[in-house]
Amino acid sequence: MFNIGDKVSVLDEDFSGVVVGFQNNQILIETEDGFKMAYSASELIKEQDISDLNSFTSSQNINQILKEKELPKKRSFEKEKKSRKDEFVLEVDLHIEKLVPNKRGMSNFDILNLQMETAKRQLDFAVKNRMPKVVFIHGVGEGVLKAELDFLLGRYEGISFQDANYQKYGLGATEVYIKQNPNR
């Protein structure tokens, strides 16, 4: 397969040389730097075979060979650290269009009552399920819904509220923090 004088390259290393002899089932090569090294036939490839490989058209086989040569990657078992910002936040949109399919026939009083009932029901749900934060999206409008929502929230113990993040919600949202009581 290999003859003295053949130019060869080492497969898993970045150098080549010339076959100068054979010893104990190994092929002796002399590198371009003058070092003599011994390799098995499976570790060498003739230079002319390399030019044949370059003209090889099936990239699928080359990719398969490269995958076989690739070392397996070590898996990381580090647990991802989640910040408090990644916690679930219940967002409740109180716009009437989000609550009913059609508001035709509803008076302003009916609309406000439905919005407040929804807010109370969702807040009770959040307290019962120990959710740390709820955001009520009420819109800007004339401020009637916001005022009623502030009045409702003021009647609850163990919660605090403020305007929600302006960048995310604009001016029309209120953020409610529910203080968790460990004795519950």
Side-chain angles (χ1 to χ4, degrees):
M1 187 161 146
F2 291 98
N3 299 314
I4 294 177
D6 286 346
K7 286 191 97 188
V8 293
S9 288
V10 181
L11 281 176
D12 289 332
E13 298 184 38
D14 190 21
F15 60 86
S16 57
V18 177
V19 175
V20 292
F22 304 95
Q23 174 185 347
N24 298 336
N25 293 333
Q26 292 205 323
I27 301 167
L28 293 173
I29 67 165
E30 186 175 327
T31 66
E32 295 167 346
D33 297 328
F35 295 105
K36 290 187 178 162
M37 304 178 97
Y39 289 98
S40 66
S42 63
E43 296 175 301
L44 300 174
I45 187 167
K46 287 183 184 178
E47 291 280 332
Q48 72 185 43
D49 293 341
I50 293 174
S51 62
D52 291 345
L53 267 180
N54 290 339
S55 63
F56 198 61
T57 56
S58 174
S59 63
Q60 181 180 11
N61 288 341
I62 293 172
N63 287 337
Q64 184 179 356
I65 292 168
L66 290 175
K67 279 184 186 175
E68 289 172 5
K69 293 286 184 190
E70 202 173 276
L71 293 174
K73 292 182 175 57
K74 292 183 180 178
R75 291 174 46 192
S76 171
F77 290 102
E78 284 184 34
K79 189 175 181 181
E80 286 185 27
K81 294 176 181 144
K82 293 184 179 179
S83 68
R84 290 191 58 84
K85 291 180 183 176
D86 294 337
E87 290 178 2
F88 175 77
V89 176
L90 177 63
E91 290 183 357
V92 181
D93 193 340
L94 295 175
H95 287 93
I96 192 63
E97 302 84 30
K98 302 288 184 179
L99 301 178
V100 293
N102 188 355
K103 66 176 183 172
R104 190 176 309 142
M106 292 180 77
S107 68
N108 288 345
F109 178 78
D110 294 335
I111 292 171
L112 185 61
N113 272 341
L114 178 63
Q115 290 170 321
M116 293 308 299
E117 287 171 12
T118 302
K120 182 175 181 355
R121 188 175 64 250
Q122 293 295 334
L123 185 59
D124 290 341
F125 174 82
V127 169
K128 178 181 161 205
N129 289 292
R130 303 178 64 84
M131 293 179 180
K133 186 163 97 173
V134 182
V135 175
F136 289 104
I137 303 169
H138 47 72
V140 179
E142 295 177 22
V144 176
L145 178 58
K146 180 176 178 13
E148 285 293 319
L149 190 60
D150 288 352
F151 180 74
L152 173 72
L153 296 174
R155 295 190 326 210
Y156 279 81
E157 286 186 31
I159 67 167
S160 61
F161 59 96
Q162 65 186 26
D163 289 343
N165 183 341
Y166 177 76
Q167 290 179 330
K168 186 169 182 181
Y169 300 103
L171 290 172
T174 300
E175 198 168 53
V176 179
Y177 295 96
I178 302 169
K179 297 179 181 94
Q180 301 298 328
N181 184 355
N183 298 330
R184 280 189 177 175

